[in-house]
Amino acid sequence: MARRLAALPLALAAAMAATGWLYLVRPSDVPGPRVRDALPLDELAKHASAPLVWYVLVWAAAAAVIGMYARWARIERLSASLPLALAVGVFLYLATGTSIAVIRQIPADRAFDLAAGREAVYLPAALVALACGALARTNGSGRRLPFVVAGIVAAAGALDVLHAILPGGNAGLLHDLTPDATAPVARAAAASTGVALLAASRGLARRRRRALQVAVAVSGLSMLLHVLSGLNAGSLASTVVLVLLVARRHDFDRPGDVTRRRAALARIAFSVAAIAGYGLVALWVNRVGADQPFTGAFAARELLAGAVGLNAGGSPHLAGEFGKWFPLSLLLLTASATVWTIAAWMAPWRHRVRQEARECELARALVQAWGADTLAPFVLRADKSYFFANDGAAFLAYRVVAGVAIVSGDPIGPAAAFPQLVARFIAHAHERDWRIAILGASERWLPLYREHGLHALYHGDEAVVETAAFSLEGRAIRKVRQSVQRLAHAGFEARVLRPGEIDAELRERLESIADEWRGDQPDRGFVMALDALFSLGDDEALFVIGFDADGRAMGFLHFAVAPAIAALSLSSMPRLRATPNGFNEWLICATIDWARAHGFERVSLNFAPFAAVLAPEAELTALEEVQRRALLALKGRFQLDNLLTFNRKFFPRWE
């Protein structure tokens, strides 16, 4: 506490020391702009200013001393930046105003008005704030602070954009809070920085480190625009944004895609070469309009001046219309190239589906041994990546779509490995700025998912038939029984075959049936369907094929095998349009009979989306009733209630 209380007197002492060094050491040969009234007690007006470079060096050293002391005193970054910078600014404001009143013999209110507009008051305070934000200690990351910082940065960007598009002069509150730029180039720059800050704010809200880098660079440029165009309230606002970003930089710890570095460098190289080539050719073609010979040095000066906007109003060395539009074209090309490069640098982490042979074999073995539900076999699709536990005893399958890591069902492996596996995957996803969705999660593991901040949303029910209890006897199931009898009387035959038992001719026939059945519709079923008919082996898949009286395959059921729970899980059931009614019901009954005889206890049928809402057994709430009406309105586009109605024919158990 004593150290912290001593920070304020130390900051004032450092301010006095810095001012003293400016009085004692006055280099006269330093080029560049000068800071007015840096030495306000000097009686000679020209001696009252100091070279900007020397002024910044002296105050940077003083600010570094204050920042190091704040670190030693264990003061948090923001807690050090704002109060100590305010103290230094107030001290210099009072000292400068008083000195001007004494030396110039003018009223105090006039003197303090002059002091309020001097860089010598604001620049040291800004340096102290930045030094404390960079050097002081951090107290950890607050959960909501990144969103607060992102909101402030977005507000700053919006103000810059508003300034650029608002009509009229530089009067009014919004113009005071944004760069006082009257030239079109400065307004365009303000618009560019505003758009860049708005783009970076989204990444800041998601704690992306590269968004922080872009925001710091752009806000630094924005602050420079403020300083160059005159001090006002906007200068203070832009400084606060920059200090906030520097002080809370530890909150933004999610790295970007390392593969995008090469893309950003490639874009920089291409842009430089393209702009340089364009500029050299244009200058050479129009060299007769230049007031000096075409040389490499002359071309380099014109290209650089045009690219940074110094000649946006026209080049003094180029005549005619070419001298007006050529520098502006360079500026526009440079701005476009900058946006293009920043877009590559800030792009989200790209995900490429990758399955190594060793991982595929390990995943197959774990599914065979530990696949505890009927969704487990479907993780073997080729469009999924695998994330394994450290010891390889468990894994989960996922794919990234539009920045969302979609996990296929629950993890697979021993239950004791799930908590650590899920925690590691969530950390893995957050490092890459992915959101997370577990599609097809079972109720058993919802408490584990909730521990990590995930929220459960009801998706639907899976129809599971218990083979031992299933029977075609009774009035309730008579329609299914009639379908089975009708197909049998028509001479249809059902055969159960493993993939290896299907010859080339029958395989081609089954693939043709599947293609005709799907038509131009895309292949769906990321969680509950296989992506290829013959991707799994004899121990992993099963075909139940229906042949007509002439021995032609008319349709089939494709099942994935879950040996760990002695279950079959329906993947797809394509058929020709000419098959009689009840064809699928007949094949399902044949499957259940075969499964019962071969030791399979369960057969999983179609997944029924929103079954509990579409066909409720209990009374619905008002919100659920609204959901039901909305879902029924989609009946013509999606097979929602159709699947539910079909599954209910077999009196399944709903999961």
Side-chain angles (χ1 to χ4, degrees):
M1 181 60 68
R3 295 179 183 179
R4 295 177 180 179
L5 292 176
L8 185 58
L10 176 74
L12 298 179
M16 296 178 186
T19 304
W21 275 105
L22 290 172
Y23 276 104
L24 290 175
V25 182
R26 303 189 186 187
S28 57
D29 56 346
V30 177
R34 303 178 71 84
V35 180
R36 294 176 298 170
D37 289 323
L39 309 171
L41 285 176
D42 199 303
E43 295 184 359
L44 298 177
K46 293 184 179 180
H47 287 191
S49 62
L52 176 62
V53 174
W54 175 243
Y55 188 83
V56 170
L57 286 176
V58 171
W59 269 106
V65 170
I66 297 173
M68 291 301 296
Y69 182 87
R71 182 180 184 87
W72 179 71
R74 298 183 179 179
I75 306 176
E76 194 272 332
R77 289 172 180 169
L78 275 182
S79 300
S81 298
L82 300 181
L84 295 181
L86 181 61
V88 170
V90 171
F91 167 77
L92 292 175
Y93 168 70
L94 295 175
T96 303
T98 303
S99 301
I100 292 176
V102 171
I103 296 301
R104 301 186 187 180
Q105 295 295 304
I106 60 177
D109 57 346
R110 174 59 179 161
F112 282 106
D113 285 342
L114 291 175
R118 293 294 184 255
E119 297 88 345
V121 173
Y122 295 96
L123 189 55
L127 292 173
V128 170
L130 290 173
C132 291
L135 300 176
R137 290 181 177 270
T138 175
N139 62 351
S141 177
R143 183 175 180 180
R144 296 293 181 184
L145 281 177
F147 294 95
V148 175
V149 174
I152 295 175
V153 171
L159 288 173
D160 279 351
V161 173
L162 280 174
H163 176 273
I165 65 176
L166 284 178
N170 291 309
L173 177 61
L174 287 176
H175 286 290
D176 287 341
L177 292 175
T178 52
D180 258 342
T182 56
V185 176
R187 277 186 177 249
S192 300
T193 59
V195 171
L197 287 176
L198 286 172
S201 64
R202 180 177 181 272
L204 291 173
R206 302 179 71 172
R207 302 178 60 178
R208 291 168 56 184
R209 187 181 303 163
R210 291 185 179 178
L212 172 71
Q213 296 168 350
V214 171
V216 167
V218 172
S219 59
L221 175 62
S222 178
M223 186 179 70
L224 179 62
L225 288 174
H226 280 295
V227 172
L228 293 178
S229 60
L231 294 173
N232 56 19
S235 306
L236 179 60
S238 60
T239 303
V240 169
V241 170
L242 181 59
V243 171
L244 182 63
L245 290 169
V246 173
R248 300 303 305 184
R249 63 187 182 277
H250 57 279
D251 289 329
F252 308 95
D253 53 0
R254 295 180 181 173
D257 189 348
V258 293
T259 62
R260 304 299 294 173
R261 296 177 181 176
R262 183 176 300 178
L265 291 175
R267 291 188 181 188
I268 291 175
F270 175 81
S271 300
V272 170
I275 294 174
Y278 159 77
L280 289 174
V281 171
L283 284 173
W284 187 83
V285 171
N286 294 273
R287 62 189 182 277
V288 295
D291 62 359
Q292 52 189 282
F294 179 83
T295 62
F298 167 71
R301 288 194 302 270
E302 287 298 308
L303 289 177
L304 183 60
V308 299
L310 296 179
N311 292 342
S315 173
H317 302 293
L318 300 174
E321 291 296 322
F322 176 72
K324 296 179 180 179
W325 64 259
F326 174 68
L328 185 58
S329 69
L330 290 176
L331 177 60
L332 293 176
L333 287 174
T334 303
S336 301
T338 302
V339 172
W340 188 42
T341 303
I342 290 177
W345 181 249
M346 291 180 58
W349 198 293
R350 296 179 62 187
H351 174 258
R352 301 167 182 83
V353 175
R354 177 181 56 86
Q355 288 187 352
E356 298 180 357
R358 180 187 61 83
E359 292 181 341
C360 291
E361 291 302 319
L362 180 56
R364 289 178 184 272
L366 290 172
V367 169
Q368 291 285 319
W370 295 97
D373 61 50
T374 53
L375 298 185
F378 301 117
V379 304
L380 300 178
R381 290 170 56 114
D383 58 355
K384 299 178 182 180
S385 297
Y386 298 135
F387 187 86
F388 288 89
N390 288 328
D391 57 0
F395 79 103
L396 55 80
Y398 71 98
R399 184 179 180 182
V400 179
V401 180
V404 181
I406 304 176
V407 180
S408 177
D410 296 321
I412 298 173
F418 287 6
Q420 183 181 19
L421 175 64
V422 172
R424 287 184 57 246
F425 179 75
I426 290 176
H428 174 80
H430 284 172
E431 286 177 357
R432 286 152 180 77
D433 194 26
W434 297 336
R435 294 173 180 168
I436 299 171
I438 303 177
L439 187 58
S442 65
E443 290 187 79
R444 177 186 177 188
W445 293 106
L446 291 185
L448 172 62
Y449 302 143
R450 289 192 178 100
E451 289 178 4
H452 293 282
L454 300 177
H455 305 277
L457 298 174
Y458 171 69
H459 187 202
D461 288 85
E462 180 184 4
V464 179
V465 176
E466 303 289 347
T467 59
F470 179 79
S471 173
L472 288 175
E473 300 297 328
R475 179 175 176 81
I477 202 171
R478 69 184 186 281
K479 291 185 177 180
V480 175
R481 182 173 62 248
Q482 292 170 358
S483 297
V484 172
Q485 294 173 350
R486 184 169 59 254
L487 269 292
H489 292 159
F492 278 75
E493 179 189 3
R495 301 177 194 171
V496 180
L497 300 175
R498 300 284 185 174
E501 298 172 338
I502 299 177
D503 58 30
E505 182 180 355
L506 180 56
R507 176 171 178 164
E508 183 178 353
R509 173 72 172 176
L510 298 183
E511 291 176 340
S512 175
I513 292 173
D515 291 341
E516 182 179 340
W517 174 255
R518 187 186 310 115
D520 57 357
Q521 295 297 316
D523 187 18
R524 297 187 177 92
F526 178 74
V527 177
M528 295 198 66
L530 298 171
D531 56 338
L533 288 178
F534 296 94
S535 60
L536 301 184
D538 287 358
D539 296 333
E540 301 165 323
L542 194 74
F543 288 85
V544 182
I545 309 171
F547 295 86
D548 64 7
D550 297 327
R552 295 176 301 175
M554 303 297 289
F556 63 92
L557 305 181
H558 187 205
F559 288 92
V561 179
I565 56 173
L568 299 177
S569 187
L570 181 61
S571 171
S572 60
M573 47 182 187
R575 59 183 175 88
L576 296 178
R577 307 293 178 181
T579 55
N581 292 334
F583 181 83
N584 284 334
E585 290 88 335
W586 166 66
L587 282 183
I588 288 176
C589 291
T591 302
I592 296 173
D593 290 340
W594 183 93
R596 184 191 302 116
H598 289 79
F600 288 93
E601 301 174 358
R602 290 181 285 175
V603 175
S604 171
L605 301 180
N606 293 299
F607 173 76
F610 311 106
V613 178
L614 290 170
E617 296 182 359
E619 185 177 350
L620 299 178
T621 65
L623 178 59
E624 290 171 339
E625 183 61 33
V626 173
Q627 293 174 343
R628 181 176 183 275
R629 292 179 181 273
L631 291 170
L632 290 177
L634 299 174
K635 178 180 178 180
R637 298 185 60 187
F638 302 99
Q639 295 183 8
L640 297 177
D641 56 340
N642 293 350
L643 291 174
L644 176 61
T645 303
F646 178 84
N647 290 337
R648 295 181 71 176
K649 295 179 181 180
F650 303 93
F651 298 93
R653 173 170 53 83
W654 296 98
E655 293 185 355

